[in-house]
Amino acid sequence: MILEVDGLQIHYGTAGGTVRAVDGASFAVPEGRIVGLVGESGCGKTTAVRAIMGVLAENGRRAGGRVVFKGKPIDETNTRPLLWRDIAYVPQSAMSSLDPVYTVGAQIVEVLTKRGRHGKTAARARAAELFDLVGLSENRLRDYPHQFSGGMRQRAAIAMALALEPSLLLADEPVTALDVIVQRQILDTLRALQQRLKLSMVLVTHDISVVAYLCDEVVVMYAGQVIESGPVREVLGRPRHPYTMGLRNAFPDLMSDALELVPIAGSPPDLADPPPGCRFTPRCPFALAACSTRPAAIGSDRAGAGNAHVSACLRDGEADHLRTFALDPVTWQRSSAYATS
Ligand SMILES: Nc1ncnc2c1ncn2[C@@H]1O[C@H](COP(=O)(O)OP(=O)(O)O)[C@@H](O)[C@H]1O
Ligand code: SF4
Ligand SMILES: [Mg+2]
């Protein structure tokens, strides 16, 4: 495993109390694999990846857990030297990694000279090489970010992240807000880069079809917790947690538009005051009385080089049965018997 996250807890202090944005999340990234971190907006994905890099917002702090990179525990005191060189980040909005007042080329050259100690001439040559790597013409190095399309900006942000040859790339919603054709082009580029550079990658997305298209493994987050994880083919082919079953119905397949889309009613809970027990209880069509009181824990067994398929649902033993009901849209129109509001 190149990265292990174990029982991570991240708290934000706010006027309304403590927001437990990540509340005991565990997952691992095998070397040379693409792991999708998926869940609806507000489930703690961005917080988790920023915590891995030790770059949280001012009011955020790690309240518990461990992050281990290449066998060494890391936290905000020792990640700085690793950033760019070992762990690189493509932030949620590509615009936020690009400064509107400088040309894109100048910004990549700056990363190479300031962080990588390249000389100016070598940096310019390397910037052209990086542009070529992500499928941009080197003539465009002289352009400003606003002269780029959304897809080109995303490519430029990826080029910048790869400047110092990191081994782990954390990409936060890299294709959100792009049209489906461009999404596929960018995802294909990421896959090609991953294979060519032998990168390990965490791809954060709210869109499970992006995971299906690109990732080897998947970690599903709900309300700050990991509720299901494992190899993509298993987790998306035979989801065991009702939330994953619901997510699968809620997004179009990137390759076809055959399936009827069925949203999961309601929204994720307020992380300043999450429901007790399984946090999905208020939205789950399969909730039992026990679900609202017993916190569901995920198993921690791992198999071989990858991660085993695990789920935190109390009704895990009935997963095959529940899955057949989950495919019926009517199931999701019925509100939970344990809805709190
Ligand atoms: N700086 C912050 N201060 C307070 N709450 C925050 C802060 N950043 C994120 N949050 C809250 O933490 C939770 C998780 O947010 P985030 O990590 O951005 O989730 P995601 O990336 O899955 O959408 C949300 O409830 C969000 O409102
Ligand atoms: S533990 Fe209960 S409420 Fe939670 S997902 Fe499983 S069945 Fe639904
Ligand atoms: Mg986010």
Side-chain angles (χ1 to χ4, degrees):
M1 298 291 168
I2 187 167
L3 181 77
E4 287 168 90
V5 175
D6 187 18
L8 187 66
Q9 296 194 355
I10 304 297
H11 292 178
Y12 290 114
T14 73
T18 302
V19 175
R20 292 172 164 76
V22 177
D23 202 7
S26 302
F27 60 92
V29 180
E31 191 108 35
R33 298 280 183 86
I34 306 182
V35 174
L37 188 58
V38 68
E40 289 160 293
S41 179
C43 284
K45 308 179 300 293
T46 296
T47 301
V49 293
R50 294 191 68 95
I52 289 166
M53 296 185 302
V55 292
L56 287 168
E58 291 260 291
N59 61 334
R61 66 177 182 94
R62 193 195 288 185
R66 263 160 55 95
V67 178
V68 178
F69 176 70
K70 291 186 174 169
K72 274 196 225 121
I74 56 170
D75 58 34
E76 79 283 356
T77 64
N78 63 359
T79 49
R80 192 158 277 273
L82 299 176
L83 302 183
W84 298 90
R85 298 164 177 283
D86 296 278
I87 306 177
Y89 180 51
V90 182
Q92 186 154 351
S93 153
M95 234 10 207
S96 62
S97 66
L98 298 170
D99 189 325
V101 304
Y102 297 101
T103 66
V104 177
Q107 296 179 55
I108 297 183
V109 165
E110 167 144 325
V111 171
L112 289 160
T113 53
K114 291 254 171 71
R115 308 257 182 182
R117 307 199 195 294
H118 282 61
K120 264 261 155 66
T121 314
R124 283 201 201 96
R126 172 78 178 138
E129 206 178 281
L130 285 162
F131 254 40
D132 186 52
L133 197 64
V134 299
L136 290 171
S137 155
E138 67 175 279
N139 299 329
R140 305 302 299 256
L141 282 165
R142 287 188 293 269
D143 287 349
Y144 290 87
H146 75 263
Q147 293 171 287
F148 278 22
S149 68
M152 290 168 69
R153 278 200 289 267
Q154 200 58 55
R155 287 178 188 275
I158 294 166
M160 195 182 296
L162 295 177
L164 303 187
E165 302 178 51
S167 47
L168 176 65
L169 182 69
L170 310 172
D172 197 348
E173 305 272 9
V175 296
T176 302
L178 300 174
D179 70 62
V180 175
I181 310 264
V182 180
Q183 282 195 22
R184 279 176 49 185
Q185 289 167 352
I186 303 272
L187 296 176
D188 290 343
T189 299
L190 281 171
R191 168 61 78 185
L193 288 169
Q194 184 262 331
Q195 284 171 354
R196 182 157 162 199
L197 307 175
K198 307 211 177 345
L199 284 170
S200 308
M201 213 183 281
V202 176
L203 182 117
V204 172
T205 177
H206 65 283
D207 184 343
I208 205 151
S209 60
V210 166
V211 174
Y213 190 73
L214 186 71
C215 300
D216 304 305
E217 303 207 356
V218 57
V219 174
V220 186
M221 276 188 87
Y222 186 70
Q225 301 177 328
V226 174
I227 53 87
E228 182 164 12
S229 63
V232 161
R233 232 177 321 128
E234 286 183 40
V235 174
L236 301 190
R238 289 161 46 86
R240 275 162 43 186
H241 195 286
Y243 181 59
T244 314
M245 297 176 197
L247 274 187
R248 201 182 55 167
N249 295 343
F251 282 93
D253 191 321
L254 216 52
M255 302 303 287
S256 79
D257 47 11
L259 218 82
E260 182 187 353
L261 299 187
V262 186
I264 309 173
S267 47
D270 176 5
L271 294 177
D273 183 24
C278 169
R279 294 180 176 178
F280 193 50
T281 306
R283 302 171 74 192
C284 181
F286 309 121
L288 302 174
C291 300
S292 59
T293 52
R294 267 220 318 265
I298 201 157
S300 60
D301 50 319
R302 293 195 182 122
N307 292 309
H309 184 183
V310 288
S311 156
C313 177
L314 286 179
R315 302 186 70 180
D316 192 32
E318 301 165 79
D320 290 336
H321 180 61
L322 301 183
R323 197 180 309 116
T324 59
F325 285 101
L327 287 172
D328 183 353
V330 173
T331 300
W332 298 91
Q333 281 153 19
R334 213 174 49 208
S335 66
S336 165
Y338 298 91
T340 46
S341 52

